[in-house]
Amino acid sequence: MSKREDEGCVRNRRTDAGQKAEDCVNSDSPVIGAFKVFQRELDTKHDKHERLVKISRDVTIESKRTIFLLHRVTSVPDFENILNDADVKLDGVRQKIGQIAEELRGEDLHQFHRAFTPGIQEYVEAVSFHHFIRHRRLISLEEINARLVFMKEDQTTKVGCEDVCPGSCVLTFQVTPTDYLLGVADLTGELMRMCISSVGNGDMDTPFELSGFLREIHDGFSYIGNTGPYEVSKKLHTLRQSLGKVEDACYTLRVRGSEIPKHMLADVFTSRAAHLETDDGIA
């Protein structure tokens, strides 16, 4: 018998042995029944995790589009229409978050937190950017959560719902403090870009206003330091970079503003920001 035929015989014997082993398994065994239950539970959790990842991706995309829209406020005389358009986009994002709340109904939020936290952070960044442009202050975590209350049509009462009237259900979603802090840390980068754009459009007051606001945010994060979550401490370096670029822009405006033509200020700040990144080892 050749070597190939011998390997084939061994393979057939293993297959027959495996088939006999399966035939010997008692499908009515409580152990087998328990493992089948575990299999269904794990499959259900995996499917829910994948759905949450997809929704979070949609939330991230729409939130980024809202941020891009809001950056146009520096180039138009009347930006109220832009803010109204951003309101509509944010309402759409909140509906997506409502889908997350529905998926988490009756579930432990922390089991699926990693699936949707990128989208929630991006939403916090977008809604806080919108709030700052309109009100010139930082939105609070309570204000964000107050807008994440959703009315869902439901025929039956389910865990996690609060009955209001027959056929209705109120769902709430609570942004965690960590997601809020990470979103605010990302906001500083958008404010830095807003500062440079404002100077390029001849607005010399906004950079000084943004500098003071970013300094307050930096001081707040400094109180947390290394005592907070690891992700928050990682964001502190980026926050300091954004603050440094805005302060550098303010310094240039105050000291050399009269020497540089207004139409060249944005180019000067952009090149100086690139040098700062190179010095920090980023570029």
Side-chain angles (χ1 to χ4, degrees):
M1 180 181 295
S2 65
K3 183 178 180 181
R4 181 174 299 176
E5 291 175 348
D6 185 54
E7 291 177 353
C9 293
V10 173
R11 190 180 300 111
N12 290 333
R13 285 197 296 269
R14 290 177 179 174
T15 304
D16 293 340
Q19 186 66 38
K20 290 179 181 179
E22 292 181 0
D23 294 338
C24 293
V25 172
N26 183 8
S27 59
D28 296 330
S29 169
V31 176
I32 298 300
F35 274 91
K36 287 183 178 179
V37 173
F38 300 154
Q39 178 186 15
R40 288 194 294 269
E41 291 179 354
L42 290 174
D43 288 343
T44 301
K45 288 186 178 295
H46 177 74
D47 293 341
K48 187 182 292 289
H49 183 276
E50 291 302 313
R51 290 195 298 270
L52 288 170
V53 169
K54 292 178 180 178
I55 299 172
S56 175
R57 191 178 298 119
D58 293 339
V59 171
T60 300
I61 292 172
E62 292 302 321
S63 297
K64 285 183 180 296
R65 289 174 177 170
T66 304
I67 292 172
F68 296 154
L69 173 64
L70 289 171
H71 274 296
R72 293 172 52 197
V73 300
T74 59
S75 59
V76 295
D78 184 12
F79 53 78
E80 193 62 33
N81 290 334
I82 293 179
L83 292 178
N84 293 335
D85 291 342
D87 277 326
V88 175
K89 286 184 175 293
L90 288 174
D91 285 338
V93 175
R94 280 188 278 269
Q95 294 305 313
K96 294 288 185 182
I97 296 177
Q99 296 178 21
I100 295 178
E102 195 164 2
E103 289 287 350
L104 294 176
R105 181 189 301 181
E107 301 282 358
D108 181 6
L109 178 144
H110 298 286
Q111 287 188 359
F112 302 96
H113 184 250
R114 291 177 64 88
F116 58 83
T117 181
I120 298 303
Q121 292 175 29
E122 199 69 33
Y123 167 73
V124 171
E125 181 182 355
V127 74
S128 58
F129 191 29
H130 177 275
H131 192 270
F132 174 79
I133 294 173
R134 174 164 281 170
H135 301 288
R136 296 298 175 179
R137 67 177 181 86
L138 180 64
I139 190 171
S140 66
L141 177 60
E142 291 74 17
E143 289 175 297
I144 292 177
N145 286 332
R147 302 180 186 180
L148 299 179
V149 180
F150 312 98
M151 181 73 69
K152 298 292 183 180
E153 295 297 328
D154 200 348
Q155 300 298 326
T156 58
T157 304
K158 295 186 178 181
V159 179
C161 291
E162 177 184 346
D163 281 339
V164 177
C165 58
S168 67
C169 176
V170 174
L171 291 175
T172 59
F173 182 89
Q174 297 293 308
V175 176
T176 63
T178 300
D179 286 341
Y180 171 75
L181 290 174
L182 294 174
V184 171
D186 291 334
L187 168 68
T188 59
E190 303 304 331
L191 295 177
M192 181 270 296
R193 297 180 185 92
M194 182 181 178
C195 169
I196 304 301
S197 299
S198 299
V199 174
N201 289 285
D203 184 0
M204 304 301 170
D205 298 325
T206 298
F208 294 96
E209 180 183 6
L210 292 174
S211 176
F213 181 68
L214 288 174
R215 173 57 65 181
E216 292 178 0
I217 293 179
H218 176 268
D219 292 344
F221 273 85
S222 297
Y223 287 126
I224 300 174
N226 295 326
T227 61
Y230 173 68
E231 297 87 352
V232 175
S233 60
K234 283 176 59 179
K235 294 280 187 179
L236 189 58
H237 177 67
T238 305
L239 193 159
R240 286 171 177 163
Q241 283 184 324
S242 298
L243 175 61
K245 292 172 185 176
V246 173
E247 289 181 336
D248 185 71
C250 293
Y251 168 81
T252 304
L253 283 175
R254 185 71 71 188
V255 177
R256 300 184 57 201
S258 59
E259 303 173 4
I260 305 173
K262 288 186 177 181
H263 67 278
M264 295 180 60
L265 284 172
D267 294 334
V268 172
F269 294 151
T270 302
S271 62
R272 288 178 65 86
H275 285 304
L276 286 174
E277 290 181 354
T278 304
D279 293 339
D280 289 336
I282 295 178

